[in-house]
Amino acid sequence: MTRPSWAPEGIDLDRPSASRVYDYFVGGMHNFEIDRQLARMIEQFTPNVAETMRANRDLLRRCVRYLTDAGIDQFLDLGSGIPTVGNVHEVAQARNPEAKVVYVDIDPVAVAHSQAILADNPLAQVVHADVADPAAILADPAVTKLIDFSRPVAVLLLGVLHFVPDDADPAGAVARLLEGCAYGSYVAITHATADGQPPEVLEAQKLSGRTSTEIVLRSRAEIATYFLDWTLVDPGLVHLPLWRPDNAADVGEHPERSGAYGGLARKD
Ligand SMILES: C[S@@+](CC[C@H](N)C(=O)[O-])C[C@H]1O[C@@H](n2cnc3c(N)ncnc32)[C@H](O)[C@@H]1O
């Protein structure tokens, strides 16, 4: 197939990617037929998957609003994805024009498109890196220029750690990313789980192996360890729609069907 102008050279157009499948589910335009085919197959096993992805994106916006209102003005957004409406810098800078954001993603399409939309925004930059390589992220010039770790920072790990296999030590990577953060910093995590899910979820999980980033479903107890000893903000680590909904009606009858947990914790 022909490579569209927004897709950087060298990407594999014959293999679906997690970021483009997510982009499709949240209504974005940066995905190929190969991504949409996989999305439709996943949907056969988990019909509410698009709802889950939107619930994740909605939590991101609520969380960034919460953080900006709490005085946070610097964000390190890991696994940031292909920019779509309501990105972290848009939500944060709408409330505080001085807010700084560094996006990090492993996917070249996500990085290229982020670079394009951030070209005129000196307070937001994007880094091409693997979240499992915290040393590279923390040493990156964009991070050292924009993020001052002696002041409170928000580290966002939304919908990304389930792409990090156990042998890449996600817990160690998170701990390394958080260890240098000042008191008053926050970490936000959302993560897919099989807890309480029908067995078909495992079929959908296997399909994710067609991308270069297979999903690892983890239990609530395991996800909770990523927050270290930081203090969870109310209501704790909960199914996505239950995390500080704007309206009670947004929660729906079955928040557990989101198949993912989300939480925010502060370093006290
Ligand atoms: C489901 S999207 C989440 C996007 C955004 N954080 C959100 O919550 O709306 C997951 C993103 O994580 C990226 N990703 C997957 N594995 C990664 C890794 N090891 N390091 C950095 N990014 C990764 C994918 O490329 C994708 O863009």
Side-chain angles (χ1 to χ4, degrees):
M1 68 167 284
T2 341
R3 183 176 59 84
S5 58
W6 50 261
E9 275 178 51
I11 64 164
D12 185 351
L13 299 178
D14 296 321
R15 194 174 191 191
S17 95
S19 65
R20 299 193 312 257
V21 171
Y22 183 73
D23 178 69
Y24 167 75
F25 277 128
V26 297
M29 307 294 286
H30 298 89
N31 48 74
F32 303 130
E33 184 50 30
I34 191 102
D35 305 305
R36 297 188 283 274
Q37 273 172 11
L38 180 63
R40 289 192 284 267
M41 287 167 75
I42 293 174
E43 250 176 336
Q44 282 176 4
F45 293 110
T46 49
N48 54 333
V49 62
E51 208 175 303
T52 297
M53 308 273 182
R54 286 194 292 267
N56 185 68
R57 197 75 196 174
D58 288 347
L59 184 149
L60 176 149
R61 295 181 192 121
R62 299 198 297 279
C63 184
V64 174
R65 286 203 310 260
Y66 177 95
L67 289 164
T68 314
D69 291 350
I72 294 292
D73 61 1
Q74 38 179 7
F75 296 81
L76 182 57
D77 183 8
L78 302 148
S80 45
I82 295 172
T84 174
V85 177
N87 294 296
V88 171
H89 74 282
E90 290 168 333
V91 180
Q93 291 178 349
R95 283 170 126 76
N96 175 1
E98 301 299 313
K100 296 177 178 141
V101 180
V102 178
Y103 292 115
V104 177
D105 206 285
I106 203 167
D107 183 288
V109 172
V111 172
H113 195 56
S114 302
Q115 271 163 349
I117 64 161
L118 298 175
D120 298 328
N121 194 327
L123 299 182
Q125 293 207 7
V126 60
V127 172
H128 187 203
D130 184 344
V131 69
D133 187 1
I137 294 169
L138 295 173
D140 191 279
V143 175
T144 54
K145 181 177 154 215
L146 285 183
I147 308 283
D148 174 1
F149 284 94
S150 69
R151 295 177 51 247
V153 56
V155 177
L156 308 180
L157 290 154
L158 302 174
V160 64
L161 290 174
H162 45 233
F163 293 114
V164 182
D166 289 345
D167 59 14
D169 188 19
V174 177
R176 174 74 187 86
L177 286 162
L178 300 186
E179 70 184 359
C181 294
Y183 287 103
S185 294
Y186 288 84
V187 60
I189 298 173
T190 60
H191 196 298
T193 186
D195 289 2
Q197 298 300 303
E200 298 80 51
V201 162
L202 296 178
E203 297 303 319
Q205 181 273 333
K206 278 186 215 144
L207 282 172
S208 74
R210 295 187 182 198
T211 69
S212 59
T213 46
E214 184 169 348
I215 286 189
V216 187
L217 301 170
R218 298 193 171 96
S219 68
R220 184 179 183 282
E222 198 172 0
I223 299 163
T225 64
Y226 297 150
F227 292 94
L228 308 176
D229 60 351
W230 294 25
T231 310
L232 278 163
V233 170
D234 275 351
L237 182 59
V238 292
H239 289 109
L240 303 180
L242 291 170
W243 197 84
R244 307 183 79 89
D246 290 333
N247 302 295
D250 295 344
V251 174
E253 278 183 40
H254 293 287
E256 74 287 355
R257 287 190 191 157
S258 68
Y261 291 111
L264 174 70
R266 189 182 51 246
K267 183 171 182 175
D268 286 331

